[in-house]
Structures are given as C-alpha cells and as structure tokens.
Amino acid sequence: MTTTHLKKKKQAKSPTHYGILPSRMSRKVLSMLVMFSMSAFNLMVRIMIFVILAQKGKQILLVVLGGELVVHLVYKALRKDTTTNMTIYGLAGAFASFVMSIFLKLLCDWTCCMMTRIPAYVGGLYYSSTILTTIVAGVALSMTYFEDKGYLSEEAMVALMASSCAGLALSYSLLLLLVRRECVRTFFDTQSGNAFYQTMFTREGATDKTKMYIFAINEGKWRKAIGEEVKSWLEGRLPVWLEEDPEWLHEIKMSTIPDWACDDKVALAAIRNKQVLEMSVCRKSTTGMLTEAGKVVPLGG
C-alpha cells in the first residue's frame, strides 16, 4: 500500500485528525521543518529540567516522574479511556492498555509527536497542555538552578533555557498556523478515545468500508454506546454485500465480525463462505487459469 493510499484510508476514518498538513509541497516541507524544530527544542528543555531536578536530589526527580505518570493515568480514567484499542481482553488486555498508555505518554512528552494528539492516544488537550507545562516548568526551574562543578553557569543555564522555551513556543505557534484551518481545534480537543471511535461509525457520510473498521477496535470502546446501532446496520447491509460483492470486503475484514453482532446467522455464514471460496479460487489461479465455465485448468494444459 502506497503512502498516498494509506493517507486517504486514514482520512476517511477521521478527516480532521489525519492528513492535516497543507497540500502545497512548499508549505508541507516547512511544516515538517517546524515539527522537527519543535521536537528538538522540547527535548532540550526537558533534558535541562531533568538536570536541574537531579541536582536537587534523586528523590525529587523520581517524585516528579511518578507524579507525571499518575496524573496521566488519572486523566485517562476520568475520561473512561483506559482500554487499548487493540482487541485484547482480560488480564492481557489490561496489561496491554497500561503499557500502551505509558508508551504514548512518553512519546508525547519527549518527542511532541503530532499524531499523539489523536483522542485514541493522549488527546489534543493533553498534548497542548504538555507543551505549555514543559515551557512553564523550564522557565521556573531555571531560576532555581545553581552553578556546580562541571555544570553550566547560572547565567548560561537561564539563557539556554529561555531560548529553548522560546523556540518551542514559536515552533508550536507556527505549526498551528501551517496546518489546515479545520484541524486546529484537534490540538485542544477534549474528545475521549471511546467517542473518537464511535464517531468514526456514526458521523454523517461514513461509508460502509469506514464503518467496518469498528470491528477491529476493542469492544470496550464502543459496544455499550452504539452496539445496537452497529448490529442493526450490519444486518441491513449483509444482503446488499452478498449481491454487490464490494472489493474492500475481504476475508480478513469478515473475520473481525463477532457473532453477537448479527442475528441472521445464515446471511453471515453465506458471506463468510463466499469470501473463503473466492480466496480458494484466487490461490488456485496462481498455478492455473480459470476457464469461462469457472474450472481451473493447469497452465500449459
């Protein structure tokens, strides 16, 4: 799959969260440079923050690190967004959710990766708040820095921190000016990951192909809220798919449909068997060719 196809596929799921950079190549290149500088300045500020905290004592550093993590997990819990989007359940699912939460938080904190602002990851509000908090903490802590053997002078630390914080703030402001206008709000969005995936299904104009993506998401994020709506939609579309046989409806997509999502087991079995049959024919055709009667004949026979 090409990068263009992948971009279009993601945009179909959520137009305001994916493909937010301008279409003009010059502005796109400028946006990439701004994102790079933002990540670099952010990393500089956070490293200096850690140096200053370590200077004050390892215990203080550990308390700050632990406090950041607790705040993040509480924020996720208040949003009722503690479940990973992966279809993993039970204890394994809980462990995967915890690990992913920590990974995405670190990715956001240390790289300013723009994709982490998606509600299913850390969310727009958390993303922007993290940048603001980093700037404020950097400026405040630089004022408490004291010169030690082998370290920068106090004046040098304040100057370096101020310039890095200014660079981070400027880069972030430029990024907001460069992205598509309708996407700016996603940097301050309070939408939860659960609502994000539910909206993919319920939003006006969503195609059958886009709606089918809901089955690839952990049921804990959507079944309670829109499970009946999904079930009604699926039962209404199965007969149509049997007749039209859309290209995007392949064996892998059909395998993601849970049994509870369709009471019409006959129609569900029919379309699943149809996909398996087509896959079988496709495999046979690699060693033979199909005749008009639909029979497989060995090549050269």
Side-chain angles (χ1 to χ4, degrees):
M1 184 179 292
T2 64
T3 304
T4 302
H5 288 160
L6 184 61
K7 178 181 175 181
K8 289 181 178 179
K9 184 178 179 181
K10 288 182 175 293
Q11 279 186 296
K13 295 174 185 176
S14 183
T16 57
H17 286 89
Y18 298 102
I20 72 170
L21 295 182
S23 56
R24 282 175 52 189
M25 184 54 66
S26 58
R27 290 176 64 86
K28 188 170 293 187
V29 171
L30 180 58
S31 299
M32 298 296 288
L33 291 174
V34 167
M35 285 189 287
F36 176 80
S37 67
M38 186 169 73
S39 295
F41 283 124
N42 178 73
L43 186 60
M44 283 279 291
V45 173
R46 292 189 71 87
I47 288 175
M48 286 187 284
I49 287 175
F50 271 54
V51 168
I52 296 172
L53 289 174
Q55 190 184 54
K56 298 179 182 302
K58 292 182 180 179
Q59 288 185 332
I60 294 178
L61 178 60
L62 291 175
V63 167
V64 172
L65 285 174
E68 270 194 331
L69 180 58
V70 169
V71 168
H72 174 67
L73 294 176
V74 169
Y75 175 70
K76 297 277 284 186
L78 290 174
R79 283 157 48 98
K80 298 180 181 179
D81 197 18
T82 56
T83 307
T84 177
N85 65 320
M86 296 182 290
T87 52
I88 305 175
Y89 304 96
L91 290 176
F95 178 74
S97 298
F98 179 73
V99 171
M100 284 301 296
S101 291
I102 295 176
F103 171 76
L104 290 170
K105 175 194 164 13
L106 292 175
L107 186 65
C108 173
D109 289 350
W110 286 92
T111 70
C112 283
C113 176
M114 191 168 60
M115 293 305 294
T116 59
R117 86 193 192 291
I118 293 173
Y121 300 154
V122 301
L125 182 62
Y126 184 90
Y127 177 85
S128 295
S129 297
T130 295
I131 294 175
L132 177 62
T133 302
T134 298
I135 293 172
V136 172
V139 172
L141 284 172
S142 67
M143 301 299 180
T144 68
Y145 173 81
F146 57 89
E147 187 175 350
D148 199 356
K149 186 178 180 180
Y151 286 84
L152 292 173
S153 65
E154 295 174 12
E155 294 78 9
M157 174 60 80
V158 171
L160 185 58
M161 181 69 83
S163 59
S164 297
C165 287
L168 176 56
L170 179 61
S171 298
Y172 181 58
S173 300
L174 286 174
L175 180 63
L176 294 180
L177 291 173
L178 287 167
V179 299
R180 292 191 290 122
R181 294 298 90 209
E182 63 271 25
C183 299
V184 173
R185 65 175 181 79
T186 64
F187 287 83
F188 309 96
D189 199 358
T190 59
Q191 186 182 43
S192 68
N194 295 357
F196 175 70
Y197 286 119
Q198 292 164 24
T199 302
M200 277 188 185
F201 183 90
T202 59
R203 71 180 177 82
E204 186 178 353
T207 63
D208 285 350
K209 183 179 180 181
T210 299
K211 289 186 175 185
M212 270 293 289
Y213 181 69
I214 198 72
F215 294 118
I217 302 301
N218 191 301
E219 291 180 10
K221 289 189 167 297
W222 58 270
R223 183 175 177 180
K224 185 177 180 181
I226 62 171
E228 288 303 314
E229 183 179 347
V230 171
K231 187 175 180 179
S232 176
W233 164 79
L234 180 64
E235 291 180 343
R237 299 305 296 168
L238 280 177
V240 177
W241 295 339
L242 273 169
E243 183 177 342
E244 296 180 352
D245 192 21
E247 289 184 8
W248 56 265
L249 189 63
H250 48 71
E251 187 180 25
I252 297 176
K253 279 192 178 293
M254 289 304 303
S255 67
T256 64
I257 301 177
D259 290 336
W260 65 263
C262 183
D263 291 331
D264 190 349
K265 306 302 180 187
V266 175
L268 185 58
I271 199 164
R272 279 176 173 170
N273 290 337
K274 184 175 182 180
Q275 297 301 319
V276 172
L277 179 61
E278 289 178 352
M279 183 67 72
S280 176
V281 169
C282 181
R283 286 169 181 163
K284 288 180 181 179
S285 65
T286 61
T287 57
M289 64 179 182
L290 288 175
T291 66
E292 291 183 1
K295 297 179 180 179
V296 177
V297 179
L299 289 175

